């Protein structure tokens, strides 16, 4: 189809318009005719861009298993490889910085205290670093459509792959309307009279327009959004250090007085457990740089750098900013929303810290950053959900029409389905909006925890499959700096977070235990069990675990000449080893 399309384009040459100054009526008529042809051809090209590109599977052995065919389809998916290195770097650095940090940290501070804030984000950050390193290794080796969505079925089992894929769709398809409403809520900081539904329309149209331009639109939007968020956090860090040292308008050295009064911990061990869930929520979306592997110009070069950037994001943007928050805002400040991850900017500890310092104007600037962060998450929701929906069709987990990819590389049906569910945002005008959104949030609350744990387990299974064949990491263009031990740590930490959430769901802070409260926090688990059962009944596939020797570790690699790849890797390592210490240090961390 690509060749046919290119030949059509070549045959439809457009004649450039001559100068508007002509002495001959015949020439003028010819000019008008050419202009009409240009417009006609532009319109035809525009319409043709939405036509589907079929994946050629004629040369595939019909005797292959369904999973093997799915691996080949995902490797051949005609997605556009338009994401450049700068896009991937900014998506990795600032892509998932959103309301979880800017606002949710306030609820975590109130329920856990400043010490619990650091403990929760530090341990969760280490787990995320291990997870992204594992994903980076897999995504560089297999830059296929669907990325870790495919890996689950490929390295663990098809029922588990079905469960995790629909779990990820559920996560993003619910996140989009929630974030659109959250963006409208931020406007209330300035405009309390306009109906929030009017702002929802504006933000919805903006998200539609961005995704109309395909992966390039997503990449450019995230590049701009991430730069703004990174500049804001760096600016706040500098301001926070000045305020803690007594350089604000009110003066006076603050130091660690809020660690002593009201204290370092708010609700003891119970409070620490509650912080882990909010910390995990704030890191949601970190895995998107791996999902974008199939649409990256050179994943072998850009993805390793992107995975290393996560370390700096955790260290500089999360740990430093949250340390300053704990020094500037007491956990008993009434403006903090206890345990909430709302987008109400008045509850943001970043805004509260600036207000307490008596600095006018800056709270509004921070609110603009919060609104941009919310829109960024909504934009990511469309990207992540649409690609996952297309992968579901490749794996046979959804109708084949879901895998529709047009000539511009847009997974069109996936985008339309995601945007259709995004219309739930207009429930903001309903008097029952709080109840609806509470249960929508409950459905997706723990989705990312399961996905991260599954990514780490896929990495463990991949390394096991390599070892059982007598093959090593010398054939991998990028290897996880944390190794298999890091992936085991990632699995363990995700299990502990689920246990902590179970404890908090059973015994909520400041409330009596109730069935409603429990399912608001833990509804994701029974939904996942339902997905698993549905697959078993539908497909009659009871392959609960793929043996390591049966795992496909070759389909989908862009470098098919392993000997040449090993030679290139050895040369790169030798080149780096020959350089001074500071260069080797830079290459290791950046």
């Amino acid at each position: 189809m690509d060749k046919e399309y290119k030949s059509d384009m070549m045959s439809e040459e457009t004649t450039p318009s001559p100068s508007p100054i002509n002495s001959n009526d015949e020439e003028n008529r010819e000019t008008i005719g050419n202009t009409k042809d240009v417009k006609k051809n532009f319109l035809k090209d525009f319409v043709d861009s939405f036509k589907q590109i079929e994946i050629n599977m004629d040369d595939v052995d019909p005797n292959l298993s369904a999973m093997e065919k799915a691996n080949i389809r995902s490797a051949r998916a005609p997605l556009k490889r338009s994401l450049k290195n700068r896009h991937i770097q900014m998506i990795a650095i600032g892509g998932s910085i959103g309301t979880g940090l800017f606002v949710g940290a306030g609820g975590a501070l109130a329920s856990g205290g400043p010490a619990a804030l650091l403990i929760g984000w530090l341990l969760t950050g280490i787990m995320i670093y291990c997870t992204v390193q594992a994903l980076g290794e897999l995504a560089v080796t297999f830059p296929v459509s669907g990325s870790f969505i495919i890996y689950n079925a490929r390295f663990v089992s098809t029922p588990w792959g079905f469960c995790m894929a629909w779990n990820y769709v559920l996560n993003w398809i619910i996140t989009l309307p929630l974030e659109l409403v959250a963006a409208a809520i931020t406007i209330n900081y300035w405009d309390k009279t306009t109906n929030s539904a009017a702002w929802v329309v504006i933000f919805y149209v903006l998200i539609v327009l961005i995704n109309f331009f395909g992966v390039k639109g997503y990449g450019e939007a995230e590049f701009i959004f991430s730069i703004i968020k990174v500049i804001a956090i760096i600016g706040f860090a500098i301001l926070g250090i000045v305020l803690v040292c007594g350089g604000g308008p009110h003066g006076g050295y603050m130091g660690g007085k809020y660690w002593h009064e009201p204290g370092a911990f708010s609700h003891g061990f119970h409070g620490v457990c509650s912080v882990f869930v909010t910390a995990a929520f704030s890191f949601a979306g970190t895995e998107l740089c791996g999902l974008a592997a199939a649409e990256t110009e050179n994943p072998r070069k850009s993805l390793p750098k992107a995975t290393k950037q996560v370390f700096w994001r955790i260290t500089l943007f999360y740990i430093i900013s949250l340390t300053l928050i704990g020094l500037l805002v007491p956990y008993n400040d009434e403006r903090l929303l206890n345990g909430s991850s709302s987008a109400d900017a008045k509850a943001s500890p970043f805004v509260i810290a600036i207000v307490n310092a008596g600095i006018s104007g800056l709270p509004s600037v921070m609110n603009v950053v919060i609104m941009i962060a919310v829109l960024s998450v909504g934009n990511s929701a469309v990207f992540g959900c649409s690609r996952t929906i297309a992968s579901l069709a490749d794996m046979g987990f959804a109708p084949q029409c879901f895998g529709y990819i047009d000539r511009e590389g847009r997974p069109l049906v996936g985008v339309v389905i995601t945007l259709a569910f995004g219309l739930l945002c207009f429930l903001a005008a309903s008097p029952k909006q709080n109840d609806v959104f509470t249960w929508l949030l409950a459905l997706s609350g723990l989705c990312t925890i399961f996905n991260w744990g599954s990514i780490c387990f896929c990495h463990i299974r991949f390394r096991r499959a390599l070892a059982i064949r007598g093959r090593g990491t010398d054939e991998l263009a990028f290897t996880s700096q944390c190794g298999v031990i890091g992936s085991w740590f990632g699995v363990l930490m995700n299990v502990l977070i689920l246990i902590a959430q179970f404890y908090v769901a059973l015994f909520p802070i400041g409330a009596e235990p109730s069935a409603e409260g429990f399912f608001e926090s833990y509804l994701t688990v029974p939904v996942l069990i339902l997905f698993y059962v549905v697959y078993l009944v539908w497909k009659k596939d009871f392959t609960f675990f793929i043996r390591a020797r049966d795992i496909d570790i070759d389909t989908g690699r862009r470098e098919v000449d392993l000997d040449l790849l090993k030679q290139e890797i050895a040369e790169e390592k030798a080149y780096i080893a020959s350089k001074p210490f500071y260069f080797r240090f830079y290459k290791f961390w950046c």
Side-chain angles (χ1 to χ4, degrees), residues 49 67 152 327 446 448 451 466 488 494 559 568:
S49 72
M67 193 64 247
N152 290 312
L327 296 173
L446 299 175
T448 51
N451 274 302
L466 270 179
W488 276 116
N494 280 290
E559 293 88 4
E568 290 177 359

Side-chain angles (χ1 to χ4, degrees), residues 461-472 553:
R461 296 284 295 152
F462 169 62
R463 286 290 190 92
R464 174 62 180 159
L466 270 179
I468 209 167
R469 286 172 171 79
R471 293 161 63 175
I553 57 173

Side-chain angles (χ1 to χ4, degrees), residues 88-89 92-93 132 289 301-310:
I88 295 295
Q89 300 311 309
I93 292 175
V132 174
C289 60
K301 297 295 183 184
S302 57
L303 284 178
K305 290 183 179 180
T307 56
K308 293 173 185 177
Q309 301 296 342
V310 173

Side-chain angles (χ1 to χ4, degrees), residues 494-553:
N494 280 290
V495 170
L496 291 177
I497 291 174
L498 289 173
I499 293 172
Q501 176 65 355
F502 184 80
Y503 173 57
V504 173
L506 274 181
F507 307 103
I509 296 175
E512 291 294 321
S514 67
E516 182 180 352
F518 174 80
F519 284 109
E520 283 179 3
S521 300
Y522 227 72
L523 185 60
T524 304
V525 175
V527 170
L528 289 180
I529 295 172
L530 177 62
F531 281 147
Y532 208 94
V533 172
V534 166
Y535 179 82
L536 296 178
V537 173
W538 174 33
K539 291 289 187 177
K540 302 294 191 297
D541 179 3
F542 298 95
T543 308
F544 295 107
F545 204 66
I546 300 175
R547 292 177 298 183
R549 65 173 176 268
D550 296 329
I551 292 175
D552 177 7
I553 57 173

Side-chain angles (χ1 to χ4, degrees), residues 44 131 155 239 248 253 310 387 426 466 534 553 580:
K44 184 178 185 301
T131 302
F155 300 126
L239 174 64
Y253 175 74
V310 173
R387 272 65 183 172
F426 292 106
L466 270 179
V534 166
I553 57 173

Side-chain angles (χ1 to χ4, degrees), residues 57 60 64-76 138 141-144 147 150-158 458-459 461-469 471 475-476 545-558 560 562:
M57 297 287 287
V60 176
L64 293 177
S65 67
M67 193 64 247
E68 289 171 327
K69 291 177 181 177
N71 292 340
I72 294 172
R73 276 195 298 269
S74 63
R76 296 182 179 182
L138 292 172
T141 308
F142 307 102
V144 298
S147 187
I150 289 284
Y151 303 154
N152 290 312
R154 184 171 186 165
F155 300 126
V156 184
S157 72
T158 44
C458 284
H459 179 239
R461 296 284 295 152
F462 169 62
R463 286 290 190 92
R464 174 62 180 159
L466 270 179
I468 209 167
R469 286 172 171 79
R471 293 161 63 175
E475 67 179 53
L476 304 180
F545 204 66
I546 300 175
R547 292 177 298 183
R549 65 173 176 268
D550 296 329
I551 292 175
D552 177 7
I553 57 173
D554 291 307
T555 304
R557 294 194 180 205
R558 285 192 190 172
V560 293
L562 292 182

Side-chain angles (χ1 to χ4, degrees), residues 428-507:
S430 166
K432 295 288 186 180
Q433 63 158 317
N434 290 334
D435 293 335
V436 173
F437 286 120
T438 295
W439 286 106
L440 284 176
L441 190 60
L443 279 171
S444 63
L446 299 175
C447 289
T448 51
I449 308 297
F450 281 96
N451 274 302
W452 291 335
S454 192
I455 288 169
C456 291
F457 192 58
C458 284
H459 179 239
I460 293 168
R461 296 284 295 152
F462 169 62
R463 286 290 190 92
R464 174 62 180 159
L466 270 179
I468 209 167
R469 286 172 171 79
R471 293 161 63 175
T473 56
D474 59 333
E475 67 179 53
L476 304 180
F478 172 73
T479 55
S480 168
Q481 293 174 327
C482 307
V484 177
I485 294 175
S487 292
W488 276 116
F489 175 78
V491 171
L492 177 63
M493 272 302 302
N494 280 290
V495 170
L496 291 177
I497 291 174
L498 289 173
I499 293 172
Q501 176 65 355
F502 184 80
Y503 173 57
V504 173
L506 274 181
F507 307 103

